[in-house]
Amino acid sequence: SQRPRSGSNATEEQPFDTVVVMTDPHDWFEALQAAVDVVCAANPNSEGVLEFDLGRCIPIHFSNPDIFWKAEHPQPRFGQGAFRIAFEGLFRARLSMMKVPPSLVDSVLRECIVQWGKPSQLTRSCCERRLSVNGTAPPSMWMVGDNPGSDMAIAAMGGKRWRGVLVRTGVYEDSDVTCGAEAVVNRVSDAVAYILGVEEREQAEREAEGC
């Protein structure tokens, strides 16, 4: 992301403000090279600019931490989480070649990487705000998904209010850990039926206790 300036060649001179990874890059080689260049130095194409600019922290936002995802291929495929791992590895390797201390590299990565998506705290907090009515969250918040490591993990982070149902439509296999899922079902429609049944039963129990 570069802020435009007036003049035909001004954009090339303006430093980058941030890197945003919204989806899995098609060309990893090009995307990794560009991302490492920009995070190392906000204006990597300019002559006389430091290759590693410690004075500027260029944030890189990742929208999804999933290392694997399920497509038509019989085995899970690499996702954006895998791209982040590759970015971190190459960033460390590049700075190591420049004799940057490993502790400083760790500090830079902690400061510059912003992770969105499941199961990040940012995404869970956003869900709670959007589902709240007059500032009050519902008594139960359900996560339905096929990935224990992200879908069920975000439910586990939320405490007793958050509950999860796994579906056998993607990454999850019956031999996998469920990461605290309350139930495992075959399809999303089965998950909806399960949740409605649980909510109706628990509502009846609350009403009976109040009598």
Side-chain angles (χ1 to χ4, degrees), residues 148 171-178:
V171 173
Y172 174 75
E173 301 288 345
D174 284 334
S175 59
D176 296 340
V177 295
T178 64

Side-chain angles (χ1 to χ4, degrees), residues 106-172:
D106 291 341
S107 176
V108 171
L109 284 171
R110 284 194 300 269
E111 189 174 355
C112 75
I113 290 179
V114 182
Q115 181 66 68
W116 299 85
K118 302 166 295 183
S120 71
Q121 177 68 32
L122 290 170
T123 298
R124 186 178 68 81
S125 298
C126 178
C127 290
E128 291 181 348
R129 289 195 304 271
R130 294 298 298 272
L131 294 174
S132 296
V133 178
N134 297 325
T136 302
S140 294
M141 304 181 73
W142 292 87
M143 171 59 71
V144 177
D146 69 333
N147 191 328
S150 59
D151 300 323
M152 296 306 104
I154 195 172
M157 289 170 55
K160 294 182 178 180
R161 175 182 289 130
W162 281 76
R163 304 160 79 171
V165 179
L166 269 172
V167 290
R168 299 185 180 93
T169 59
V171 173
Y172 174 75

Side-chain angles (χ1 to χ4, degrees), residues 1 16-19 33-44 58-59 94:
S1 169
F16 282 87
D17 291 319
T18 188
V19 177
Q33 183 70 72
V36 171
D37 282 349
V38 172
V39 175
C40 279
N43 203 351
I58 308 302
R94 182 163 177 180

Side-chain angles (χ1 to χ4, degrees), residues 54-66:
L54 185 58
R56 279 182 64 95
C57 177
I58 308 302
I60 177 168
H61 295 256
F62 292 93
S63 65
N64 190 327
D66 288 356

